[in-house]
Amino acid sequence: MDKSLLSYINWGLLACMLLLYVVGVGNLYSASGTRVETGLAFNSFYQRQIIWGLCGLACMLLAMTFDYRQLRNLAWPFFLLTLLLLLLVPIAGKTVYGAKRWISLGFMSIQPSELAKLSVLVLAARLLARDSLPLGWKDFMSVLFICLLPCALIITQPDLGTTMLILLILAGMILFHGLRGYVLKTCLLAVPCVGAFMWFVGMHDYQRQRILTFLDPTTDPRGTGYHIIQSRIAIGSGELWGKGFKEGTQSQLRFLPERHSDFAVAVFGEEWGFVGCVALVTLFCLFLLSIFSTAVQAKDRFGSMLVVGVFFYFFWQILINMGMVIGIMPVVGIPLPFISYGGSATVVNFTLLGIVLNVSMRRFMFKG
């Protein structure tokens, strides 16, 4: 790699990413503690997150070493490999908490649906970068149909959260690219019909119950409403300044479920309070702004669409997870990037940012 490219790296984005990762590991360290008679007993979530972070950093550096335009040629092979892995999940996958989403390799497990986010993003960027004209029906349906294939496999695992996230990423990329007016109007009119279809046909009973519980968690405070109620108590008890690092009672007395994964930010809110949460949201805003500025500065359509896809990948996860934790969105099992525990998600997060940094490094290559 040409060393002169390093001077064009988006250093602000790199700093935001590393700071978020450090905050996430520190929060996981506290969330891993359980209060016992002799003090706090810690499990190994934070240690494993450090290892996954190192693996992610290696993948990020690898993603920066080659010209990102080569991804255009790898889009289809990567997409087909992901489809193959998704097809293997029902046959060779392992079941955790009633869902079959992982393939065990002995020393580690991989979650093909995490790879699906990346492969759909790269393939959609390739398809949408063919020209700058707003999409008509033919181009719109071709992009949509191809990306619906992995969604159909993921929703049967079942994993509604990942399916919804992939569709939202694709929708964001398509809107950024542009649609012809009659296509956009028809899509807007079809949204209620799709919602009704998902409600009556595409959802399991427990997923419908989650939405009903979101509207009024007190109807089932010991069952489906338990997560939301405990999360609100944790965040509210943090008040203005928080209880302090490793001093959260909802977390360390084990009232808060999934405190290391989907509800990790509730632990943060309890220990760092309103001020800490505002600082964290501000950091995420700077992070997203840095990604979007790279999309605007990219010198070719493929690079721009790649970065836009990464922007929506993080934007939707941050919005949905935080909304879910404070009770303004249903619980759908989407983690908060760099804050929630997750091996495959951490590696994918770093890899995607490696692609963004790759585009930012080469944004002056095509001048003249």
Side-chain angles (χ1 to χ4, degrees):
M1 182 176 68
D2 187 351
K3 292 183 179 178
S4 63
L5 294 174
L6 294 176
S7 60
Y8 302 131
I9 283 184
N10 188 334
W11 292 104
L13 174 61
L14 191 60
C16 288
M17 176 196 67
L18 293 176
L19 191 52
L20 284 169
Y21 176 67
V22 170
V23 170
V25 171
N27 190 60
L28 268 181
Y29 175 70
S30 180
S32 300
T34 301
R35 202 168 294 280
V36 296
E37 290 183 3
T38 55
L40 288 175
F42 292 91
N43 59 36
S44 59
F45 283 117
Y46 72 96
Q47 294 169 323
R48 281 181 276 169
Q49 187 73 353
I50 291 173
I51 294 172
W52 283 118
L54 294 174
C55 293
L57 281 171
C59 291
M60 184 188 80
L61 293 174
L62 180 63
M64 294 167 60
T65 54
F66 59 90
D67 188 334
Y68 67 86
R69 289 172 294 176
Q70 295 177 22
L71 287 174
R72 191 195 301 263
N73 300 324
L74 296 174
W76 277 109
F78 184 34
F79 180 76
L80 295 174
L81 175 64
T82 303
L83 280 183
L84 179 62
L85 290 173
L86 288 171
L87 288 169
L88 284 176
V89 170
I91 303 169
K94 68 175 184 179
T95 303
V96 179
Y97 298 129
K100 188 178 280 189
R101 302 171 185 170
W102 294 266
I103 296 177
S104 176
L105 302 179
F107 61 97
M108 61 177 287
S109 297
I110 61 170
Q111 190 174 351
S113 57
E114 290 293 335
L115 296 178
K117 298 173 189 172
L118 182 56
S119 65
V120 168
L121 190 157
V122 175
L123 181 59
R126 170 179 166 148
L127 297 175
L128 293 172
R130 288 179 296 197
D131 59 55
S132 59
L133 298 175
L135 298 180
W137 277 118
K138 181 181 177 182
D139 291 332
F140 172 69
M141 293 306 293
S142 66
V143 175
L144 184 63
F145 176 74
I146 290 168
C147 295
L148 282 179
L149 290 175
C151 291
L153 295 171
I154 294 169
I155 202 169
T156 60
Q157 294 180 354
D159 190 348
L160 179 63
T162 301
T163 305
M164 188 174 67
L165 180 61
I166 290 175
L167 292 175
L168 287 172
I169 293 170
L170 186 63
M173 295 176 72
I174 289 174
L175 285 175
F176 182 84
H177 178 278
L179 284 169
R180 294 190 185 278
Y182 58 88
V183 178
L184 178 60
K185 292 174 185 173
T186 306
C187 290
L188 291 175
L189 290 174
V191 167
C193 300
V194 173
F197 176 80
M198 287 300 297
W199 178 264
F200 291 108
V201 180
M203 287 185 175
H204 294 268
D205 290 340
Y206 78 92
Q207 290 167 333
R208 283 192 285 267
Q209 186 59 43
R210 281 183 178 181
I211 294 177
L212 293 174
T213 303
F214 146 72
L215 297 174
D216 185 7
T218 58
T219 57
D220 190 9
R222 294 180 180 275
T224 51
Y226 185 78
H227 290 64
I228 295 177
I229 292 173
Q230 295 302 322
S231 177
R232 286 177 174 174
I233 293 172
I235 293 175
S237 63
E239 298 183 345
L240 184 60
W241 298 104
K243 296 177 178 176
F245 186 54
K246 297 191 295 182
E247 297 298 328
T249 52
Q250 287 296 109
S251 167
Q252 282 142 14
L253 292 176
R254 304 175 67 178
F255 288 108
L256 182 65
E258 306 295 338
R259 62 186 189 273
H260 60 279
S261 52
D262 295 347
F263 289 85
V265 77
V267 177
F268 186 88
E270 184 180 20
E271 298 188 346
W272 297 97
F274 176 76
V275 174
C277 288
V278 169
L280 183 63
V281 171
T282 303
L283 184 56
F284 269 121
C285 289
L286 293 173
F287 172 75
L288 290 173
L289 185 62
S290 296
I291 296 175
F292 192 75
S293 69
T294 301
V296 173
Q297 295 170 0
K299 295 304 180 185
D300 68 329
R301 290 193 55 77
F302 180 64
S304 179
M305 291 309 305
L306 269 180
V307 179
V308 165
V310 176
F311 171 83
F312 281 110
Y313 169 85
F314 286 111
F315 171 78
W316 289 120
Q317 287 192 86
I318 294 166
L319 181 70
I320 294 172
N321 181 274
M322 288 191 168
M324 174 181 89
V325 168
I326 62 177
I328 60 173
M329 286 188 180
V331 176
V332 289
I334 288 183
L336 186 62
F338 300 109
I339 304 298
S340 300
Y341 170 76
S344 300
T346 301
V347 172
V348 170
N349 291 343
F350 276 105
T351 304
L352 287 173
L353 288 175
I355 293 173
V356 176
L357 293 173
N358 192 328
V359 175
S360 76
M361 290 162 56
R362 291 170 171 81
R363 63 187 186 277
F364 298 116
M365 282 183 59
F366 314 123
K367 278 190 170 181

